[in-house]
Amino acid sequence: MNGSKEHDQICDAIVIGAGFAGMYMLHVLREAGLSAIAFETGGDVGGTWYWNRYPGARCDTESLFYSYQFDEALQQDWNWTERYPAQPEILQYAQHVAHRFDLKRNINFNTKVTDALWDENAQLWNVSTNKGAHKRCRFLISAVGCLSAVNVPDIDGLDDFKGEYYQTGLWPREGVNFRDKTVAIIGTGSSAIQSIPVITEQARHVTVFQRTANYVVPAQNRPLDPTEVAKIKSDYPSLRAKAKATYSGNIFPTGGSSALDVSPEERVQEYENRWRAGGLGLMGAFQDLQSNQASNETAADFVRNKIREIVKDPEVARKLTPTNTFGCKRLCVATNYYETYNRGNISLIDLNDTPIQRITSNGVRTTRQDHDVDILILATGFDAMTGALNRINIQGTGGEKLRDTWRDGPVTYLGLGVHGFPNMFTITGPGSPSVLTNMIPTIEQHVNLIGKCLISMSKKNASRIEASASAQDDWVAYNAELANRSLRVTCNSWYLGANVTGKPRVFMPFVGGLPAYIEKCEEIVRDDFKGFLIT
Ligand code: N01
């Protein structure tokens, strides 16, 4: 490595993406004395929070924990205003971090990486962008995000629509005026469920097109109380350590071992307490909710009963009632979602009764009728975990394309490296806990590990690192074995790629939980990056 000097346009590392992963990676590389640049498609930092500006967009992890912990002064100085941070506040935080650590000088905005080709002779990556830039680097680090490649569904006639057309994952910066407008929203995942209540308050009429009913729990969002904030800040290190020791990296009250071990009254009381507390904590009410179908059914029934209690029209309540396994798809957290269906200006179309035939110039045509609208919104999610990388032409040894290596589903070692793609790291890649956890701490854990690895290579004068085929095979098989034991494989979720036509059905995130994953990473670091071939 050449330290911070640049020769012939060669830099030590190129980082793809300037969301929370890319920003912290740049910082760590610089601190290690390595030269690095980042390319970012968006016009500013923030990643997913730069693009997802739809009405109601908010994180469902608590703000005091959905934040960096690498710099104590930063976490003490920054003041969050609400229990769950809204998109504009998260974006302000990202901008604050970029400014505070002077990150923008090494980020090329509005620039998309199109190709990254490994040159085995030179032991370098050749990286090209849509702006015609060509750069060489020793290490290619993907910080592209798990949910960044927008999924446009295979619905006929999308180009025919003549009204205003938006996707939640690519929301316009200037916002959208819904006043007196009729709106169609396709999809009922987290993005739709957050935006529907806000849009319905503004629009004349909203028609929601639902393919699968989802479980939605109330956020119980509120302004943060300064006393509570001071208490958390005074105890940050131990609270962060406590979070790291939980399955998802979130501090929820520990649940009993089985929902079936307690009386029905106790069980419902436990669910009720967590419903009132709000947020994802309902998932942790009992430890066997994702492994025992009968236990799971008790939590599912609790939410189904809530829907029937809240939604006044029994037919609408029926349509909104999910039938799949509770928590199999990502649990949705929202404010006033079910309550919104009691308003007079919203209709719910169940696509199982009346599928969409096509989009017309005026709206959505189902098998029953035409729904003419002024505004059409796709809230149809993402080509998750692999989409953003597969859309780049990445070629490793022998010109092998990453998208071909991943033809039957992603294969990685620890979600960090791919055999055949030397000197390439994938922050929160498939095969790591990533989307099943609180993302910012998980990002930090990966970035710290990559930083340690590069420093160790530098000390040893090593220039090449590659995941071994056998370590990768073992890791992929282990993750598949764990996933197959979990109820999470029982529905058509984006975790399995089931939302994208033709995508192989493979459970992509590591399902064994954060503590097991961290222990494995610490073990390989102690063992000189066992499983990676370093030369
Ligand atoms: O996407 P989704 P999302 N015809 O894939 C439907 C994170 N996130 O953007 O379920 C009709 O969940 C699809 O139907 P089905 C979070 O991790 C976090 O909402 O496949 N419908 C589904 O209803 C989340 O899980 C936050 O049958 C079609 C919807 O579109 C992830 O991002 C906020 C269709 C897509 O739902 C993705 O959420 C927002 C078709 N052809 C997002 N194709 C928070 O922090 C798809 N659908 C709170």
Side-chain angles (χ1 to χ4, degrees):
M1 272 174 251
N2 67 344
S4 57
K5 283 179 239 129
E6 284 193 13
H7 298 298
D8 183 27
Q9 300 284 321
I10 298 172
C11 58
D12 288 322
I14 288 180
V15 179
I16 314 177
F20 283 102
M23 286 200 294
Y24 182 46
M25 191 73 244
L26 260 187
H27 175 68
V28 165
L29 289 164
R30 273 200 209 154
E31 293 288 292
L34 304 175
S35 57
I37 54 170
F39 291 111
E40 164 58 52
T41 311
D44 206 337
V45 295
T48 194
W49 301 106
Y50 174 86
W51 297 106
N52 285 269
R53 297 163 187 257
Y54 58 82
R58 186 181 291 283
C59 186
D60 58 8
T61 299
E62 302 204 19
S63 52
L64 280 145
F65 294 92
Y66 188 78
S67 48
Y68 289 123
Q69 58 195 292
F70 70 87
D71 187 273
E72 183 55 23
L74 167 67
Q75 70 174 358
Q76 290 296 334
D77 291 351
W78 183 261
N79 288 313
W80 295 104
T81 62
E82 291 178 272
R83 179 182 180 192
Y84 297 101
Q87 175 272 334
E89 194 169 13
I90 306 175
L91 202 53
Q92 276 169 24
Y93 173 69
Q95 282 157 354
H96 170 78
V97 173
H99 176 70
R100 189 170 179 127
F101 297 96
D102 189 20
L103 298 174
K104 288 194 185 178
R105 71 183 151 94
N106 291 122
I107 305 174
N108 299 277
F109 292 107
N110 301 305
T111 310
K112 197 191 260 288
V113 170
T114 52
D115 306 82
L117 313 179
W118 172 249
D119 178 342
E120 186 67 38
N121 292 328
Q123 302 273 293
L124 292 173
W125 281 98
N126 290 304
V127 175
S128 309
T129 73
N130 65 341
K131 293 282 176 71
H134 301 284
K135 294 272 180 197
R136 292 193 290 165
C137 64
R138 292 172 172 75
F139 296 96
L140 180 70
I141 305 181
S142 156
V144 294
C146 299
L147 293 157
S148 48
V150 167
N151 171 40
V152 178
D154 202 6
I155 301 176
D156 278 349
L158 272 174
D159 292 339
D160 297 345
F161 184 64
K162 296 281 185 283
E164 293 174 55
Y165 164 69
Y166 305 104
Q167 292 161 289
T168 47
L170 294 172
W171 203 257
R173 292 182 84 158
E174 61 280 10
V176 175
N177 183 1
F178 291 101
R179 191 168 299 279
D180 295 329
K181 299 280 174 62
T182 51
V183 183
I185 302 181
I186 301 179
T188 49
S190 298
S191 306
I193 277 166
Q194 287 186 329
S195 54
I196 287 165
V198 182
I199 295 173
T200 309
E201 273 180 11
Q202 299 165 17
R204 178 147 57 87
H205 192 89
V206 172
T207 307
V208 177
F209 295 83
Q210 171 190 276
R211 190 165 68 177
T212 309
N214 252 321
Y215 295 90
V216 184
V217 293
Q220 315 288 20
N221 187 38
R222 53 176 167 75
L224 281 169
D225 164 19
T227 323
E228 168 190 24
V229 173
K231 196 161 171 264
I232 291 176
K233 285 190 173 177
S234 69
D235 201 20
Y236 245 143
S238 79
L239 290 170
R240 294 287 200 178
K242 202 171 154 196
K244 202 172 150 188
T246 67
Y247 179 92
S248 67
N250 289 297
I251 310 176
F252 301 130
T254 312
S257 55
S258 173
L260 306 179
D261 282 351
V262 296
S263 70
E265 294 74 24
E266 279 176 83
R267 195 163 54 219
V268 168
Q269 190 56 55
E270 180 66 27
Y271 293 143
E272 188 65 45
N273 293 345
R274 288 176 188 252
W275 179 273
R276 285 196 193 142
L280 295 168
L282 191 62
M283 289 283 287
F286 295 96
Q287 286 162 37
D288 65 347
L289 291 184
Q290 289 310 311
S291 57
N292 180 330
Q293 190 75 59
S295 291
N296 186 288
E297 201 56 22
T298 64
D301 275 343
F302 173 82
V303 181
R304 290 170 188 149
N305 285 334
K306 284 287 182 194
I307 298 169
R308 286 187 277 269
E309 274 170 32
I310 299 168
V311 180
K312 292 192 180 124
D313 180 332
E315 180 54 12
V316 177
R318 185 193 63 78
K319 288 184 196 165
L320 285 169
T321 301
T323 51
N324 55 17
T325 304
F326 169 77
C328 180
K329 282 177 184 261
R330 174 70 144 70
L331 186 60
C332 298
V333 178
T335 299
N336 289 335
Y337 180 64
Y338 294 126
E339 290 80 352
T340 295
Y341 287 90
N342 292 333
R343 295 175 61 104
N345 66 334
I346 182 166
S347 328
L348 177 66
I349 308 298
D350 185 341
L351 296 178
N352 299 296
D353 299 339
T354 54
I356 295 176
Q357 278 190 332
R358 61 173 296 113
I359 304 298
T360 66
S361 56
N362 294 323
V364 182
R365 175 172 300 159
T366 66
T367 47
R368 182 167 298 156
Q369 70 176 96
D370 277 358
H371 300 267
D372 291 350
V373 288
D374 303 311
I375 300 178
L376 171 64
I377 299 173
L378 290 189
T380 45
F382 301 89
D383 183 352
M385 307 216 65
T386 54
L389 277 173
N390 281 343
R391 289 176 192 189
I392 303 172
N393 174 30
I394 299 178
Q395 296 183 19
T397 52
E400 173 79 8
K401 291 187 176 169
L402 184 67
R403 61 174 83 110
D404 289 337
T405 302
W406 285 3
R407 193 183 302 110
D408 299 324
V411 287
T412 69
Y413 178 45
L414 297 168
L416 270 170
V418 185
H419 178 67
F421 296 82
N423 291 10
M424 180 180 92
F425 294 99
T426 48
I427 304 172
T428 63
S432 71
S434 58
V435 290
L436 298 179
T437 66
N438 177 4
M439 284 300 291
I440 295 189
T442 307
I443 283 168
E444 284 183 302
Q445 187 253 341
H446 259 192
V447 170
N448 290 338
L449 199 149
I450 296 166
K452 272 187 196 160
C453 180
L454 296 185
I455 291 168
S456 148
M457 285 179 69
S458 178
K459 281 187 186 149
K460 286 189 281 195
N461 257 335
S463 59
R464 189 183 193 279
I465 179 168
E466 182 182 355
S468 85
S470 63
Q472 175 171 290
D473 289 349
D474 289 350
W475 185 251
V476 170
Y478 179 53
N479 196 23
E481 185 198 320
L482 293 180
N484 287 332
R485 274 193 245 147
S486 156
L487 296 177
R488 288 185 188 270
V489 294
T490 60
C491 65
N492 290 327
S493 69
W494 57 258
Y495 297 130
L496 280 158
N499 61 327
V500 175
T501 313
K503 195 166 172 173
R505 193 179 169 97
V506 171
F507 196 84
M508 294 180 285
F510 173 71
V511 77
L514 200 53
Y517 181 79
I518 292 176
E519 196 184 315
K520 172 77 183 172
C521 290
E522 286 172 354
E523 182 193 310
I524 71 136
V525 173
R526 277 195 303 274
D527 223 343
D528 212 8
F529 295 92
K530 189 176 159 191
F532 286 101
L533 303 168
I534 299 181
T535 49

